[in-house]
Amino acid sequence: MNDMTPTREQREARLEGMGCKRKRVEDIRFTQGKGNYVDDVKLPGMLHGDFVRSPHAHARIVSIDTEKALKVPGVLAVITAETLKTVNLAWMPTLAGDVQMVLADGKVLFQNQEVAFVVATDRYAADDGIAAVEVEYEALPPLIDPFTSMDADAPVLREDLAGKTEGAHGPRKHHNHIFEWTVGDRELTDAAFAKADVTIKEMISYHRTHPSPLETCQCVCSFDKIKGELTIWGTFQAPHVIRTVVALISKIPEHKIHVIAPDIGGGFGNKVGAYPGYICAAVATIVIGKPVKWVEDRMENLTTTSFARDYHMTTEIAATKEGKVTGLRVHVLADHGAFDACADPSKWPAGFMNIVTGSYDFPVAHLAVDGVYTNKAPGGVAYRCSFRVTEAAYCIERGMDILAQKLGMDPAELRLKNFIKAEQFPYHSALGWEYDSGDYHTAMKKGMETIEYAGLRREQAAKREAFQRGETREIMGIGVSFFTEIVGAGPSKNCDILGIAMFDSCEIRLHPTGAGIARMGTKSQGQGHETTWAQIIATEIGIPADDIMVEEGNTDTAPYGLGTYGSRSTPVAGAAIALAARKIRAKAQMIAAYLLEVHEGDLEWDVDGFRVKGLPEKYKSMKDICWAAYNSVPPGMEPGLEAVSYYDPPNMTYPFGAYFCVMDIDVDTGVYKIRRFYALDDCGTRINPMIIEGQVHGGLTEAFAIAMGQEIRYDATGNVLGGSFMDFFIPTAVETPHWETDYTVTPSPHHPIGAKGVGESPNVGGVPAFSNAVNDAFSFLGSTHIQMPHDFWRNWEAAKRLGVTG
Ligand code: PCD
């Protein structure tokens, strides 16, 4: 060692491992227009498919005449349900145990439903073909309001289910009923309510919305008749699952199906499900023998693929007069649209809605969810949340505020009084989860101090007085939200998709010169996996992150994994990465011992290599060891340096956070100003603080959109009113508030690097913070709950209803 020898800190910094704000390596191509997306796939002779869609929400199909369309120049084929029946694909299974029409079979059940698929030499010809297809409909009465879906005289939507009293999740109570799912102890909960000092009851709706990635859903399918192989490039958040599903329904052997998810322009849950476009493009390429591309347009995306939320939650909390909660009772009416195509782990018809007890120590609770059919698009995806966690968080966080109001208590105080205490972890919730770790009081207090909560409440009190005196037309709201997420689906004991356990995987292969490649079963859609996964490996095996290439999304090369959604990648694949790296390090240690002629146990790990204990100059770097792995391994050892890990997590991870929103609303116009938004997140060990901050900014922006305007609405006849960006709120930099972020670190005790997910937390915690701010602003005027989204119009309406504006 001499003056030139780098210090330990310098060696660590060179790795750019965990904890480093490493710049996103993928952005080099994304910011220069060099990304490679599905629509960039252009194959010789490629055809284009597009859909004829239904203008009606509910109608019988009298006839479909394709004759004129087939005469349109460039049109090669028009596929209808009748065509698909010949290959037994007119209907497809959904992830939720239901079946769904691929193309309308006999009737249509929602506006814009896929009726026929026109294949042509280019997109324009396909559209001309669509205009020439003649469909005769006989309108049927639409069912739009879920609250009337189980009325005795409600129209029958699913004629295919006639007489079926058993669904995938138990008995059906009515022809439009899908399932009833109950959790918790009903009797004990009822008893807690019977003896409670104080109770609240409110119907809290979480409206229908939609994830809106920049890139819509799309695919290119190409069948090679000679080899009998099908290649599908698609916007898939879970490519391996798609491959298995295609193998099961097409009977093409799984090894002859190549699924490739190239760069993806945002997913947000939209790209988890399987859509008719994929099936039609695959059938078309098999039948016609040429590659077929299908690309959704924006309106198709918003109105047909994967809606989110649409939960109507009747929420009751029981408490003592001192404000200690004693029971929670929630009934959800879940509007699933025309088919139950919710993307949840198979056994969870309402996702993880049973995290609804939130961050509070409820001794007893009961949850019942009724899923119903309506004439709306199917889907039910976790739009930036882990399977209905955002609905659960909204429900309990609004409920706690309503309880605080009834008790005349401060909402932050009420939360502090009821939090699960740090010493109670691992904590068993009344609805069956085991929370791994948490320190809620510390997080909440840090947040309250940073935003000077007490001062804000004083300011609010003064402003309310000024408002009552007529000196101002503005009301001030302080939104408090404290959420607990449940991410990392999931342990094979309770999570599977179509029978496949929800593990994830990593394979690392190091090359002789000390560089390497790592592949996972996950698939980034913008989250920065190429950056962060290499950071985990860098810390674990001492190879600079820059020397590790991360590859995802190709089912031929990547180990089987369940994909990226529900913030599962860090909890599940992140663990697999660390464990694969540790296997490599264990082999490297044997090689180093051989090279240094000592016993393995005499070596200690030191940042980027092994040192002999007590003899620091006797050292082999990982780079040296990589070289040796290919030429001088100990006798009897196989050469090479690679490892695979499949990780079945023992539990979920439970990130949490404290969010505060300060808002002023002008009662005469409904216009709001978000003065401050503070978000403290605890996601355990932080891999890349810069990426985490970006994730929080993105998630908060989506939360802001949802809470303050974004909605897929329907009129009484079933016309979609949120079908374009003219009507569907996508905030720009102009509307988006400034975000202040903060953190605490409470590692997960069961995760190899202590990390929990974070990508969805800001959406889960953000929505209640905004909504609580609006509701808090109006509360002193006698309002207990105003439904989302809180756009200017609805704020003004609320002010009018409360008699403070004309
Ligand atoms: N991290 C770190 N640390 C920690 C955690 C985490 O660093 N502790 C980071 C990682 O690595 C990544 C991120 O962060 O990179 C994220 O992560 P996570 O949480 O694990 O998650 P993931 O799985 O990866 O992802 C998923 C998510 C989701 S779910 C969503 S919606 C969204 C988010 O993600 N999406 C998106 N974010 C995002 N971003 C972007 N850019 N894009 C997109 O699309 Mo779902 O269910 O699907 O609905």
Side-chain angles (χ1 to χ4, degrees):
M1 282 188 255
N2 56 39
D3 289 350
M4 300 299 285
T5 310
T7 61
R8 190 187 163 86
E9 286 70 32
Q10 285 168 332
R11 280 158 55 219
E12 261 167 6
R14 203 170 56 90
L15 295 179
E16 292 197 287
M18 281 193 277
C20 165
K21 295 183 179 174
R22 183 179 185 224
K23 286 211 172 128
R24 294 177 25 125
V25 292
E26 45 272 87
D27 288 354
I28 298 167
R29 64 177 192 281
F30 292 159
T31 54
Q32 298 185 51
K34 300 287 183 204
N36 179 34
Y37 299 89
V38 172
D39 203 28
D40 293 319
V41 177
K42 297 191 170 82
L43 304 176
M46 189 172 77
L47 305 173
H48 298 258
D50 204 353
F51 285 108
V52 174
R53 294 181 179 275
S54 165
H56 298 277
H58 193 195
R60 200 164 300 290
I61 294 188
V62 180
S63 64
I64 303 178
D65 186 346
T66 61
E67 214 179 294
K68 286 193 191 118
L70 286 166
K71 291 193 182 124
V72 170
V75 171
L76 292 157
V78 181
I79 297 175
T80 63
E82 295 310 311
T83 332
L84 292 179
K85 278 183 189 161
T86 61
V87 283
N88 205 16
L89 280 176
W91 291 71
M92 63 179 182
T94 70
L95 291 175
D98 196 358
V99 286
Q100 173 177 353
M101 291 176 200
V102 175
L103 290 170
D105 184 13
K107 62 192 281 199
V108 287
L109 288 163
F110 62 96
Q111 189 180 52
N112 278 358
Q113 186 178 340
E114 300 79 3
V115 174
F117 190 66
V118 177
V119 186
T121 46
D122 62 62
R123 186 81 191 258
Y124 302 99
D127 282 358
D128 289 345
I130 288 168
V133 174
E134 288 172 351
V135 187
E136 196 187 324
Y137 299 96
E138 179 197 315
L140 295 169
L143 170 57
I144 303 305
D145 179 0
F147 288 93
T148 63
S149 61
M150 293 204 275
D151 288 357
D153 58 352
V156 178
L157 304 195
R158 293 288 300 275
E159 288 166 11
D160 61 300
L161 300 179
K164 267 192 108 180
T165 50
E166 274 298 303
H169 304 283
R172 300 171 65 223
K173 299 185 245 187
H174 180 276
H175 54 260
N176 292 324
H177 185 240
I178 310 172
F179 63 84
E180 183 190 24
W181 185 59
T182 59
V183 206
D185 194 318
R186 169 127 240 166
E187 265 170 42
L188 286 180
T189 308
D190 290 350
F193 274 83
K195 59 171 196 266
D197 301 336
V198 183
T199 60
I200 62 123
K201 181 172 185 175
E202 191 74 52
M203 209 290 290
I204 299 170
S205 272
Y206 198 144
H207 56 290
R208 181 176 271 240
T209 180
H210 195 283
S212 324
L214 263 185
E215 180 202 36
T216 58
C217 297
Q218 35 200 280
C219 69
V220 175
C221 297
S222 180
F223 186 64
D224 182 329
K225 280 197 166 160
I226 311 294
K227 294 188 188 153
E229 292 183 8
L230 178 64
T231 307
I232 307 175
W233 290 263
T235 45
F236 303 135
Q237 293 183 229
H240 281 98
V241 180
I242 295 281
R243 188 185 67 185
T244 303
V245 171
V246 173
L248 290 172
I249 62 182
S250 71
K251 307 281 184 285
I252 299 172
E254 198 162 352
H255 65 291
K256 293 197 169 189
I257 301 167
H258 316 286
V259 175
I260 301 163
D263 286 331
I264 295 185
F268 311 111
N270 188 212
K271 293 162 179 172
V272 174
Y275 300 123
Y278 306 153
I279 308 269
C280 289
V283 169
T285 184
I286 294 171
V287 173
I288 305 173
K290 289 193 174 167
V292 177
K293 181 181 269 187
W294 169 69
V295 175
E296 249 184 350
D297 69 23
R298 179 60 57 194
M299 289 176 83
E300 293 177 302
N301 178 262
L302 283 173
T303 60
T304 67
T305 44
S306 67
F307 78 89
R309 327 296 192 232
D310 224 342
Y311 260 32
H312 308 279
M313 309 175 285
T314 304
T315 311
E316 295 172 87
I317 303 179
T320 66
K321 54 186 184 308
E322 292 77 31
K324 196 96 187 83
V325 294
T326 53
L328 174 70
R329 197 158 57 193
V330 179
H331 177 266
V332 182
L333 179 67
D335 183 343
H336 284 219
F339 308 97
D340 187 10
C342 275
D344 293 311
S346 303
K347 294 185 200 80
W348 301 88
F352 301 155
M353 183 65 199
N354 56 334
I355 190 82
V356 67
T357 50
S359 314
Y360 314 104
D361 191 9
F362 276 96
V364 292
H366 188 260
L367 165 70
V369 183
D370 277 298
V372 295
Y373 292 121
T374 57
N375 288 117
K376 298 180 190 167
V381 295
Y383 168 10
R384 212 163 188 146
C385 87
S386 184
F387 317 113
R388 306 290 185 181
V389 175
T390 189
E391 287 91 329
Y394 183 61
C395 175
I396 188 64
E397 287 307 289
R398 212 53 285 289
M400 288 303 272
D401 262 31
I402 295 168
L403 176 65
Q405 191 178 351
K406 181 141 188 193
L407 289 162
M409 252 178 104
D410 181 273
E413 281 310 312
L414 178 70
R415 285 173 171 80
L416 285 163
K417 185 164 208 151
N418 287 290
F419 277 153
I420 299 159
K421 297 185 185 69
E423 60 273 17
Q424 284 176 277
F425 291 91
Y427 172 80
H428 292 266
S429 79
L431 294 178
W433 294 113
E434 184 189 306
Y435 294 19
D436 60 347
S437 64
D439 184 351
Y440 300 164
H441 287 92
T442 303
M444 186 72 169
K445 284 185 182 148
K446 186 173 183 191
M448 288 172 73
E449 273 162 33
T450 315
I451 63 149
E452 293 168 28
Y453 184 77
L456 287 170
R457 284 292 176 202
R458 279 194 299 274
E459 185 192 341
Q460 184 186 45
K463 265 199 128 171
R464 285 177 172 175
E465 280 167 24
F467 183 88
Q468 304 286 31
R469 287 195 302 265
E471 289 160 17
T472 174
R473 299 300 292 153
E474 262 186 6
I475 53 176
M476 173 180 169
I478 305 167
V480 180
S481 151
F482 196 99
F483 67 94
T484 295
E485 256 259 73
I486 166 170
V487 298
S492 60
K493 59 176 184 265
N494 49 23
C495 288
D496 71 270
I497 289 183
L498 302 172
I500 306 163
M502 292 185 74
F503 59 85
D504 226 288
S505 60
C506 170
E507 179 200 278
I508 305 172
R509 184 178 303 166
L510 295 181
H511 311 317
T513 55
I517 181 163
R519 294 175 168 127
M520 294 86 200
T522 46
K523 175 61 206 164
S524 184
Q525 310 119 43
Q527 291 86 344
H529 291 175
E530 285 167 57
T531 307
T532 47
W533 296 162
Q535 289 182 259
I536 301 178
I537 298 172
T539 297
E540 291 288 340
I541 62 175
I543 299 277
D546 270 348
D547 293 337
I548 305 290
M549 182 167 112
V550 170
E551 195 187 85
E552 296 178 322
N554 185 334
T555 54
D556 282 349
T557 52
Y560 204 108
L562 276 282
T564 292
Y565 41 86
S567 263
R568 64 183 298 278
S569 305
T570 302
V572 193
I577 296 165
L579 295 183
R582 286 174 196 178
K583 287 185 190 175
I584 290 201
R585 200 164 95 181
K587 182 168 179 184
Q589 185 163 359
M590 293 193 257
I591 299 174
Y594 177 67
L595 297 175
L596 292 164
E597 297 178 348
V598 293
H599 187 271
E600 257 179 78
D602 296 332
L603 292 177
E604 60 186 4
W605 177 251
D606 180 21
V607 184
D608 49 12
F610 288 98
R611 237 176 251 297
V612 178
K613 287 178 195 158
L615 290 172
E617 66 288 351
K618 292 201 81 180
Y619 163 81
K620 283 288 167 200
S621 71
M622 270 305 285
K623 210 176 153 97
D624 301 332
I625 298 167
C626 283
W627 188 256
Y630 290 87
N631 62 34
S632 42
V633 293
M637 180 188 272
E638 287 178 17
L641 202 49
E642 60 180 78
V644 187
S645 165
Y646 284 82
Y647 186 77
D648 179 6
N651 191 5
M652 310 273 184
T653 67
Y654 296 76
F656 56 93
Y659 290 7
F660 298 87
C661 173
V662 186
M663 190 187 293
D664 292 323
I665 303 172
D666 181 317
V667 292
D668 297 319
T669 59
V671 173
Y672 56 80
K673 276 197 303 274
I674 291 159
R675 252 205 268 161
R676 221 173 151 182
F677 197 103
Y678 167 91
L680 178 146
D681 274 279
D682 191 318
C683 56
T685 307
R686 292 149 52 90
I687 303 164
N688 183 328
M690 180 201 70
I691 287 196
I692 292 175
E693 201 180 352
Q695 287 291 311
V696 174
H697 283 197
L700 288 177
T701 307
E702 284 182 312
F704 165 61
I706 296 169
M708 306 310 284
Q710 195 170 84
E711 183 179 22
I712 299 287
R713 254 186 326 135
Y714 290 81
D715 70 12
T717 57
N719 292 307
V720 195
L721 303 179
S724 84
F725 282 169
M726 294 291 287
D727 306 303
F728 189 78
F729 177 43
I730 297 285
T732 66
V734 178
E735 296 90 12
T736 305
H738 173 74
W739 310 121
E740 293 169 56
T741 60
D742 202 348
Y743 66 96
T744 53
V745 176
T746 312
S748 165
H750 61 80
H751 187 283
I753 58 170
K756 304 179 180 184
V758 76
E760 332 175 297
S761 298
N763 195 313
V764 173
V767 171
F770 286 110
S771 184
N772 279 347
V774 174
N775 276 291
D776 182 61
F778 283 105
S779 63
F780 78 114
L781 300 169
S783 160
T784 46
H785 178 67
I786 302 165
Q787 303 290 9
M788 288 194 291
H790 305 292
D791 53 21
F792 300 160
W793 171 257
R794 286 180 177 93
N795 287 342
W796 172 79
E797 266 189 325
K800 198 163 145 51
R801 210 168 40 244
L802 296 165
V804 290
T805 193

